[in-house]
Amino acid sequence: MDNSKIFDTLERKIEKLLSRLSTLESENGKLKADLAAARKAEKDAAGSRDAIDRLEKDQENVRERLEKLIASLEASEKG
């Protein structure tokens, strides 16, 4: 094999590697964007969970106050 063929072969392999590198860089960019979106969704979900917990606690407090009020009204009707 002469030097010309060796360099042609090396050049083709380098071009294939550069093409693959470009593809991988593109995929990496997409994956980074997907990861950022997933992290944002996770953060939003955590905020939603906190809001749900807060609302459930408020609902329980209201329920307790209503039960006390009903009991008080029933006691005043009997008395």
Side-chain angles (χ1 to χ4, degrees):
M1 218 166 158
D2 65 354
N3 284 342
S4 176
K5 289 182 182 179
I6 292 172
F7 285 118
D8 285 344
T9 303
L10 288 174
E11 187 175 348
R12 280 194 305 274
K13 288 185 179 187
I14 289 171
E15 287 173 357
K16 285 181 185 178
L17 288 173
L18 288 174
S19 174
R20 182 66 180 143
L21 175 63
S22 176
T23 301
L24 290 174
E25 286 175 337
S26 175
E27 288 176 14
N28 192 34
K30 290 176 186 176
L31 290 173
K32 283 182 179 180
D34 289 347
L35 179 61
R39 285 182 176 160
K40 184 182 182 310
E42 182 180 20
K43 184 178 177 183
D44 292 346
S48 295
R49 280 192 300 270
D50 291 343
I52 288 171
D53 290 344
R54 222 175 19 258
L55 290 172
E56 287 176 345
K57 190 180 216 179
D58 289 348
Q59 183 181 24
E60 183 62 29
N61 289 337
V62 169
R63 181 179 293 120
E64 289 173 4
R65 290 174 64 195
L66 286 173
E67 288 173 357
K68 288 178 184 177
L69 180 60
I70 290 170
S72 174
L73 289 172
E74 287 174 347
S76 69
E77 286 178 357
K78 289 180 183 179

